[in-house]
Coordinates of all heavy atoms in Angstrom, one line a residue:
L1490 N 28.6 10.1 -18.9 CA 29.3 9.7 -17.8 C 28.3 9.0 -16.7 O 28.6 8.0 -16.2 CB 30.0 10.9 -17.1 CG 30.8 10.6 -15.9 CD1 32.0 9.6 -16.2 CD2 31.4 11.9 -15.3
F1491 N 27.1 9.7 -16.6 CA 26.2 9.1 -15.7 C 25.8 7.7 -16.1 O 25.8 6.8 -15.3 CB 24.9 10.0 -15.6 CG 23.9 9.6 -14.6 CD1 23.9 10.1 -13.3 CD2 23.0 8.6 -14.8 CE1 23.1 9.8 -12.3 CE2 22.0 8.2 -13.8 CZ 22.1 8.8 -12.6
R1492 N 25.5 7.6 -17.4 CA 25.1 6.2 -17.9 C 26.2 5.2 -17.7 O 26.0 4.0 -17.3 CB 24.8 6.3 -19.4 CG 24.2 5.0 -19.9 CD 24.0 5.1 -21.4 NE 23.1 6.1 -21.8 CZ 21.7 5.9 -22.0 NH1 21.2 4.7 -21.8 NH2 21.0 6.9 -22.4
E1493 N 27.5 5.6 -17.8 CA 28.6 4.7 -17.6 C 28.7 4.2 -16.2 O 28.9 3.1 -15.8 CB 29.9 5.4 -18.0 CG 30.1 5.5 -19.5 CD 31.4 6.3 -19.8 OE1 32.2 6.4 -19.0 OE2 31.4 6.8 -21.0
Q1494 N 28.5 5.2 -15.2 CA 28.6 4.9 -13.8 C 27.4 4.1 -13.2 O 27.6 3.3 -12.4 CB 28.8 6.2 -13.0 CG 30.1 6.9 -13.3 CD 31.3 6.1 -12.9 OE1 31.4 5.5 -11.8 NE2 32.3 6.0 -13.8
M1495 N 26.2 4.5 -13.7 CA 25.0 3.9 -13.1 C 24.4 2.8 -13.9 O 23.5 2.1 -13.5 CB 24.0 5.1 -12.9 CG 24.4 6.2 -12.0 SD 24.9 5.6 -10.4 CE 23.3 5.3 -9.7
G1496 N 24.8 2.7 -15.2 CA 24.3 1.7 -16.1 C 22.9 2.0 -16.6 O 22.2 1.1 -17.1
M1497 N 22.5 3.2 -16.5 CA 21.2 3.7 -17.1 C 21.1 5.1 -17.3 O 22.0 5.9 -16.7 CB 20.0 3.2 -16.1 CG 20.1 3.9 -14.7 SD 18.7 3.5 -13.7 CE 18.8 1.7 -13.5
A1498 N 20.2 5.6 -18.0 CA 20.1 7.0 -18.3 C 19.6 7.8 -17.1 O 19.0 7.2 -16.2 CB 19.1 7.3 -19.4
P1499 N 19.9 9.0 -16.9 CA 19.5 9.8 -15.7 C 18.0 9.8 -15.5 O 17.5 9.6 -14.4 CB 20.0 11.2 -16.0 CG 21.1 11.1 -17.0 CD 20.8 9.8 -17.8
K1500 N 17.2 9.9 -16.6 CA 15.8 9.9 -16.4 C 15.3 8.6 -15.9 O 14.4 8.5 -15.1 CB 15.1 10.3 -17.7 CG 13.6 10.4 -17.6 CD 13.0 11.2 -18.7 CE 11.5 11.3 -18.6 NZ 11.0 12.4 -17.9
S1501 N 15.8 7.5 -16.4 CA 15.5 6.1 -15.9 C 15.8 6.0 -14.5 O 15.0 5.4 -13.7 CB 16.2 5.1 -16.7 OG 15.7 5.1 -18.0
W1502 N 17.0 6.5 -14.0 CA 17.4 6.4 -12.6 C 16.4 7.2 -11.8 O 16.0 6.7 -10.7 CB 18.8 6.9 -12.5 CG 19.3 6.8 -11.1 CD1 19.8 5.7 -10.5 CD2 19.3 7.8 -10.1 NE1 20.1 6.0 -9.2 CE2 19.8 7.3 -8.9 CE3 18.8 9.1 -10.1 CZ2 19.9 8.0 -7.8 CZ3 18.9 9.9 -8.9 CH2 19.5 9.3 -7.8
I1503 N 16.1 8.4 -12.2 CA 15.1 9.2 -11.4 C 13.8 8.5 -11.3 O 13.2 8.4 -10.2 CB 14.9 10.6 -12.1 CG1 16.2 11.4 -11.9 CG2 13.7 11.3 -11.5 CD1 16.2 12.6 -12.8
N1504 N 13.2 7.9 -12.4 CA 12.0 7.2 -12.3 C 12.1 6.0 -11.5 O 11.1 5.7 -10.7 CB 11.5 6.9 -13.7 CG 10.9 8.1 -14.4 OD1 10.4 9.0 -13.8 ND2 11.1 8.2 -15.7
D1505 N 13.2 5.2 -11.5 CA 13.3 4.0 -10.7 C 13.4 4.4 -9.2 O 12.8 3.8 -8.3 CB 14.6 3.3 -11.0 CG 14.5 2.5 -12.3 OD1 13.4 2.4 -12.9 OD2 15.5 1.9 -12.8
T1506 N 14.0 5.5 -8.9 CA 14.1 6.0 -7.5 C 12.8 6.4 -7.0 O 12.4 6.1 -5.9 CB 15.1 7.2 -7.4 OG1 16.4 6.7 -7.9 CG2 15.3 7.7 -6.0
R1507 N 12.0 7.1 -7.9 CA 10.6 7.5 -7.5 C 9.8 6.3 -7.2 O 9.0 6.3 -6.2 CB 10.0 8.4 -8.6 CG 10.5 9.8 -8.7 CD 9.9 10.4 -9.9 NE 10.3 11.8 -9.9 CZ 10.0 12.6 -10.9 NH1 9.3 12.2 -12.0 NH2 10.3 13.9 -10.9
L1508 N 9.9 5.3 -8.0 CA 9.1 4.1 -7.8 C 9.5 3.3 -6.5 O 8.6 2.8 -5.8 CB 9.1 3.2 -9.0 CG 8.4 3.6 -10.2 CD1 8.5 2.7 -11.4 CD2 6.9 3.8 -9.9
Q1509 N 10.8 3.3 -6.2 CA 11.2 2.7 -5.0 C 10.6 3.4 -3.8 O 10.2 2.8 -2.9 CB 12.7 2.7 -4.9 CG 13.4 1.8 -5.8 CD 15.0 1.9 -5.8 OE1 15.5 2.8 -5.2 NE2 15.6 1.0 -6.4
Q1510 N 10.7 4.8 -3.8 CA 10.1 5.5 -2.7 C 8.6 5.3 -2.6 O 8.1 5.2 -1.6 CB 10.4 7.1 -3.0 CG 11.8 7.4 -2.8 CD 12.1 8.9 -3.2 OE1 11.3 9.5 -4.0 NE2 13.1 9.5 -2.6
A1511 N 7.9 5.3 -3.8 CA 6.5 5.0 -3.8 C 6.1 3.7 -3.2 O 5.2 3.6 -2.4 CB 6.0 5.2 -5.2
R1512 N 6.9 2.6 -3.6 CA 6.6 1.3 -3.0 C 6.8 1.3 -1.5 O 5.9 0.8 -0.8 CB 7.5 0.3 -3.7 CG 7.1 0.0 -5.1 CD 7.9 -1.2 -5.7 NE 9.3 -1.1 -5.6 CZ 10.0 -0.7 -6.7 NH1 9.5 -0.4 -7.8 NH2 11.4 -0.6 -6.6
N1513 N 7.8 1.9 -1.0 CA 8.0 2.0 0.4 C 6.9 2.8 1.1 O 6.4 2.3 2.1 CB 9.4 2.7 0.7 CG 9.7 2.7 2.1 OD1 9.7 1.7 2.8 ND2 10.1 3.9 2.6
L1514 N 6.5 3.9 0.6 CA 5.4 4.7 1.2 C 4.1 3.9 1.1 O 3.3 4.0 2.0 CB 5.3 6.1 0.5 CG 6.4 7.0 0.8 CD1 6.4 8.2 -0.2 CD2 6.4 7.5 2.2
L1515 N 3.8 3.2 0.1 CA 2.6 2.4 -0.1 C 2.5 1.4 1.1 O 1.4 1.1 1.6 CB 2.5 1.8 -1.4 CG 2.1 2.7 -2.5 CD1 2.4 2.1 -3.9 CD2 0.7 3.2 -2.5
I1516 N 3.6 0.8 1.4 CA 3.7 -0.2 2.5 C 3.6 0.4 3.8 O 3.0 -0.1 4.7 CB 4.9 -1.1 2.3 CG1 4.8 -1.9 1.0 CG2 5.0 -2.1 3.4 CD1 6.1 -2.6 0.6
T1517 N 4.4 1.5 4.0 CA 4.6 2.0 5.4 C 3.7 3.1 5.8 O 3.7 3.4 7.0 CB 6.1 2.4 5.6 OG1 6.4 3.5 4.7 CG2 7.0 1.2 5.3
S1518 N 3.1 3.8 4.9 CA 2.3 5.0 5.3 C 0.8 4.8 5.0 O 0.4 3.9 4.3 CB 2.8 6.2 4.5 OG 2.2 6.3 3.2
G1519 N 0.1 5.7 5.6 CA -1.4 5.7 5.4 C -1.9 6.7 4.4 O -3.0 6.9 4.2
E1520 N -0.9 7.4 3.7 CA -1.2 8.4 2.7 C -2.0 7.8 1.6 O -1.8 6.6 1.2 CB 0.0 9.1 2.2 CG 0.8 9.8 3.2 CD 0.1 11.1 3.6 OE1 -0.8 11.6 3.0 OE2 0.6 11.7 4.6
S1521 N -2.8 8.6 0.9 CA -3.5 8.1 -0.2 C -2.6 7.9 -1.4 O -1.4 8.4 -1.4 CB -4.6 9.1 -0.7 OG -3.9 10.3 -1.3
V1522 N -3.0 7.0 -2.4 CA -2.2 6.8 -3.5 C -1.8 8.0 -4.3 O -0.7 8.3 -4.7 CB -2.9 5.7 -4.4 CG1 -2.1 5.6 -5.8 CG2 -3.0 4.4 -3.8
G1523 N -2.8 8.9 -4.5 CA -2.6 10.1 -5.2 C -1.6 11.0 -4.4 O -0.7 11.6 -5.1
R1524 N -1.7 11.1 -3.2 CA -0.8 11.9 -2.4 C 0.7 11.3 -2.5 O 1.6 12.1 -2.6 CB -1.2 12.0 -0.9 CG -0.3 12.6 0.1 CD -0.3 14.2 -0.1 NE 0.6 14.8 0.8 CZ 1.7 15.5 0.5 NH1 1.9 15.8 -0.8 NH2 2.5 16.0 1.3
I1525 N 0.8 10.0 -2.4 CA 2.1 9.4 -2.5 C 2.7 9.7 -3.9 O 3.9 10.0 -4.0 CB 2.0 7.9 -2.3 CG1 1.8 7.6 -0.8 CG2 3.3 7.2 -2.8 CD1 1.5 6.2 -0.5
G1526 N 1.9 9.7 -4.9 CA 2.4 10.0 -6.3 C 3.0 11.4 -6.3 O 4.0 11.7 -6.8
T1527 N 2.2 12.3 -5.7 CA 2.7 13.7 -5.5 C 4.0 13.8 -4.7 O 4.9 14.5 -5.1 CB 1.6 14.6 -4.9 OG1 0.4 14.6 -5.7 CG2 2.0 16.1 -4.8
M1528 N 4.0 13.1 -3.6 CA 5.2 13.1 -2.8 C 6.5 12.7 -3.4 O 7.6 13.2 -3.1 CB 5.0 12.3 -1.5 CG 3.9 12.8 -0.6 SD 3.4 11.7 0.7 CE 4.9 11.5 1.7
V1529 N 6.4 11.7 -4.4 CA 7.6 11.3 -5.1 C 7.8 11.9 -6.4 O 8.8 11.6 -7.1 CB 7.5 9.7 -5.2 CG1 7.5 9.0 -3.9 CG2 6.4 9.3 -6.1
G1530 N 7.0 12.9 -6.8 CA 7.3 13.8 -7.9 C 6.4 13.7 -9.1 O 6.8 14.2 -10.2
Y1531 N 5.3 13.0 -9.0 CA 4.4 12.9 -10.1 C 3.2 13.9 -9.8 O 2.5 13.8 -8.9 CB 3.8 11.5 -10.3 CG 4.8 10.6 -10.7 CD1 5.5 9.8 -9.8 CD2 5.2 10.4 -12.0 CE1 6.5 8.9 -10.1 CE2 6.2 9.5 -12.4 CZ 6.8 8.7 -11.5 OH 7.8 7.8 -11.9
E1532 N 3.0 14.9 -10.8 CA 2.0 15.9 -10.6 C 0.6 15.3 -10.8 O -0.3 15.8 -10.1 CB 2.2 17.1 -11.5 CG 3.5 17.8 -11.2 CD 3.7 19.0 -12.1 OE1 2.7 19.5 -12.7 OE2 4.9 19.4 -12.3
D1533 N 0.5 14.4 -11.7 CA -0.8 13.8 -12.1 C -1.0 12.4 -11.5 O -0.2 11.5 -11.8 CB -1.0 13.8 -13.6 CG -2.2 13.2 -14.1 OD1 -3.2 13.0 -13.3 OD2 -2.3 13.0 -15.3
P1534 N -1.9 12.2 -10.6 CA -2.1 10.9 -10.0 C -2.4 9.8 -11.0 O -2.0 8.7 -10.8 CB -3.3 11.1 -9.0 CG -3.4 12.6 -8.7 CD -2.9 13.2 -10.0
A1535 N -3.1 10.2 -12.1 CA -3.4 9.1 -13.1 C -2.1 8.7 -13.8 O -1.9 7.5 -14.1 CB -4.5 9.7 -14.1
H1536 N -1.3 9.6 -14.1 CA 0.0 9.3 -14.7 C 0.8 8.5 -13.8 O 1.5 7.5 -14.2 CB 0.8 10.6 -15.1 CG 2.1 10.4 -15.6 ND1 2.3 9.9 -16.9 CD2 3.4 10.5 -15.1 CE1 3.6 9.7 -17.1 NE2 4.3 10.1 -16.0
F1537 N 0.9 8.8 -12.5 CA 1.6 8.0 -11.5 C 1.1 6.6 -11.5 O 1.9 5.6 -11.6 CB 1.5 8.6 -10.1 CG 1.9 7.7 -9.0 CD1 3.2 7.2 -8.9 CD2 1.0 7.2 -8.1 CE1 3.6 6.4 -7.9 CE2 1.4 6.4 -7.0 CZ 2.7 6.0 -7.0
A1538 N -0.3 6.4 -11.5 CA -0.9 5.0 -11.4 C -0.5 4.3 -12.7 O -0.2 3.1 -12.6 CB -2.3 5.2 -11.2
R1539 N -0.6 4.9 -13.9 CA -0.2 4.2 -15.1 C 1.2 3.8 -15.2 O 1.5 2.7 -15.5 CB -0.6 5.1 -16.3 CG -2.0 5.2 -16.7 CD -2.2 5.8 -18.1 NE -1.6 7.2 -18.1 CZ -2.2 8.3 -17.7 NH1 -3.4 8.3 -17.3 NH2 -1.6 9.5 -17.9
Y1540 N 2.1 4.7 -14.8 CA 3.5 4.4 -14.8 C 3.9 3.3 -13.8 O 4.6 2.4 -14.1 CB 4.3 5.7 -14.5 CG 5.8 5.5 -14.7 CD1 6.3 5.6 -16.0 CD2 6.6 5.3 -13.7 CE1 7.6 5.4 -16.3 CE2 8.0 5.1 -13.9 CZ 8.5 5.2 -15.2 OH 9.8 5.0 -15.4
F1541 N 3.2 3.4 -12.6 CA 3.5 2.4 -11.6 C 3.0 1.0 -12.1 O 3.8 0.0 -12.0 CB 2.7 2.7 -10.3 CG 3.0 1.9 -9.1 CD1 3.9 2.3 -8.2 CD2 2.5 0.6 -8.9 CE1 4.3 1.6 -7.1 CE2 2.8 -0.2 -7.8 CZ 3.7 0.3 -6.9
R1542 N 1.9 0.9 -12.7 CA 1.3 -0.4 -13.2 C 2.2 -0.9 -14.3 O 2.5 -2.1 -14.4 CB -0.1 -0.2 -13.8 CG -0.6 -1.5 -14.3 CD -2.0 -1.4 -14.9 NE -3.0 -1.1 -14.0 CZ -3.7 -2.0 -13.3 NH1 -3.4 -3.3 -13.4 NH2 -4.6 -1.7 -12.4
K1543 N 2.7 0.0 -15.2 CA 3.5 -0.5 -16.3 C 4.9 -1.0 -15.8 O 5.3 -2.0 -16.4 CB 3.8 0.8 -17.2 CG 4.7 0.4 -18.4 CD 5.0 1.7 -19.2 CE 6.0 1.4 -20.3 NZ 6.5 2.6 -20.9
N1544 N 5.4 -0.4 -14.8 CA 6.8 -0.8 -14.3 C 6.7 -1.9 -13.2 O 7.7 -2.6 -13.0 CB 7.5 0.4 -13.9 CG 8.0 1.2 -15.1 OD1 8.9 0.9 -15.7 ND2 7.2 2.2 -15.4
V1545 N 5.7 -1.9 -12.4 CA 5.6 -2.8 -11.3 C 4.8 -4.0 -11.6 O 5.0 -5.1 -11.0 CB 5.2 -2.1 -10.0 CG1 5.0 -3.0 -8.8 CG2 6.1 -0.9 -9.6
G1546 N 3.8 -3.9 -12.4 CA 3.0 -5.0 -12.9 C 1.6 -5.0 -12.2 O 0.8 -5.9 -12.5
C1547 N 1.3 -4.1 -11.3 CA 0.0 -3.9 -10.7 C -0.2 -2.5 -10.3 O 0.8 -1.7 -10.3 CB -0.1 -4.9 -9.4 SG 1.1 -4.4 -8.1
S1548 N -1.4 -2.2 -10.0 CA -1.8 -0.8 -9.6 C -1.2 -0.5 -8.2 O -0.9 -1.4 -7.4 CB -3.2 -0.6 -9.6 OG -3.8 -1.2 -8.5
P1549 N -1.0 0.7 -7.9 CA -0.5 1.1 -6.5 C -1.4 0.5 -5.4 O -1.0 0.0 -4.4 CB -0.5 2.6 -6.5 CG -0.4 3.0 -8.0 CD -1.1 2.0 -8.7
R1550 N -2.7 0.6 -5.6 CA -3.7 0.0 -4.6 C -3.5 -1.5 -4.5 O -3.5 -2.0 -3.4 CB -5.1 0.4 -5.0 CG -5.4 1.8 -4.7 CD -6.9 2.1 -4.8 NE -7.2 3.4 -4.5 CZ -7.2 4.4 -5.3 NH1 -7.0 4.2 -6.6 NH2 -7.4 5.7 -4.9
E1551 N -3.3 -2.2 -5.6 CA -3.1 -3.6 -5.6 C -1.8 -4.0 -4.8 O -1.7 -4.9 -4.0 CB -3.1 -4.2 -7.0 CG -4.4 -4.2 -7.7 CD -4.4 -4.5 -9.2 OE1 -3.3 -4.3 -9.7 OE2 -5.4 -4.9 -9.7
F1552 N -0.8 -3.2 -5.1 CA 0.5 -3.4 -4.5 C 0.4 -3.2 -3.0 O 0.9 -4.0 -2.2 CB 1.5 -2.3 -5.0 CG 2.9 -2.5 -4.5 CD1 3.8 -3.3 -5.0 CD2 3.2 -1.7 -3.4 CE1 5.0 -3.5 -4.4 CE2 4.5 -1.8 -2.8 CZ 5.4 -2.7 -3.3
R1553 N -0.3 -2.1 -2.6 CA -0.5 -1.9 -1.2 C -1.2 -3.1 -0.5 O -0.8 -3.6 0.6 CB -1.3 -0.6 -0.9 CG -1.6 -0.3 0.5 CD -2.3 1.0 0.7 NE -1.3 2.0 1.0 CZ -1.5 3.3 1.0 NH1 -2.7 3.8 0.7 NH2 -0.5 4.2 1.2
R1554 N -2.3 -3.5 -1.1 CA -3.1 -4.6 -0.5 C -2.3 -5.9 -0.4 O -2.3 -6.6 0.6 CB -4.4 -4.9 -1.4 CG -5.6 -4.1 -0.9 CD -6.8 -4.5 -1.7 NE -7.2 -3.5 -2.5 CZ -7.3 -3.5 -3.8 NH1 -7.2 -4.6 -4.5 NH2 -7.7 -2.4 -4.5
T1555 N -1.5 -6.2 -1.4 CA -0.7 -7.4 -1.4 C 0.4 -7.3 -0.3 O 0.5 -8.3 0.4 CB 0.0 -7.5 -2.8 OG1 -1.0 -7.7 -3.8 CG2 0.9 -8.8 -2.8
F1556 N 1.0 -6.2 -0.2 CA 2.2 -6.2 0.8 C 1.8 -5.8 2.2 O 2.6 -6.0 3.1 CB 3.3 -5.3 0.2 CG 4.0 -6.0 -0.9 CD1 3.6 -5.8 -2.2 CD2 5.0 -6.8 -0.7 CE1 4.3 -6.4 -3.3 CE2 5.7 -7.5 -1.7 CZ 5.3 -7.3 -3.0
R1557 N 0.6 -5.2 2.4 CA 0.2 -4.9 3.7 C -0.8 -6.0 4.2 O -1.2 -6.0 5.4 CB -0.6 -3.6 3.7 CG 0.3 -2.4 3.6 CD -0.5 -1.1 3.6 NE -0.2 -0.4 4.8 CZ -0.7 0.8 5.0 NH1 -1.7 1.2 4.3 NH2 -0.4 1.5 6.0
G1558 N -1.1 -7.0 3.4 CA -2.0 -8.1 3.8 C -3.4 -7.7 4.0 O -4.1 -8.3 4.8
Q1559 N -3.9 -6.7 3.2 CA -5.2 -6.2 3.4 C -6.1 -6.8 2.3 O -5.9 -6.9 1.2 CB -5.3 -4.7 3.3 CG -4.6 -4.1 4.5 CD -4.6 -2.6 4.4 OE1 -5.0 -2.0 3.4 NE2 -4.1 -1.9 5.5

């Protein structure tokens, strides 16, 4: 039922939601990348960074630099 309504599996939706929150926090907060990973539900900062890179196309630090103009 979830897949029918949302167009994706529950786990995919959860991970997409976490990445959306992480992108927002990377742009708007001064928290460390590791802390942001923890805040959005990833226990291991290295796993968060790998997953972020795989799905967004750059590391969380690169994303932050690009969108904050640093």
Side-chain angles (χ1 to χ4, degrees):
L1490 183 61
F1491 187 93
R1492 186 185 299 268
E1493 288 176 18
Q1494 294 296 314
M1495 301 301 288
M1497 63 178 60
K1500 187 164 178 89
S1501 295
W1502 182 84
I1503 289 168
N1504 286 325
D1505 284 353
T1506 301
R1507 287 176 173 172
L1508 287 178
Q1509 286 175 351
Q1510 290 174 331
R1512 288 191 301 264
N1513 183 50
L1514 288 168
L1515 286 165
I1516 294 169
T1517 62
S1518 81
E1520 295 287 347
S1521 71
V1522 170
R1524 175 74 180 120
I1525 288 173
T1527 301
M1528 290 168 67
V1529 299
Y1531 294 93
E1532 292 180 24
D1533 179 9
H1536 175 73
F1537 167 64
R1539 281 192 305 273
Y1540 191 80
F1541 191 97
R1542 180 184 291 276
K1543 178 183 174 191
N1544 288 280
V1545 177
C1547 63
S1548 74
R1550 283 191 178 91
E1551 292 168 335
F1552 181 87
R1553 176 177 266 170
R1554 269 189 247 121
T1555 299
F1556 286 93
R1557 284 178 120 183
Q1559 296 177 351

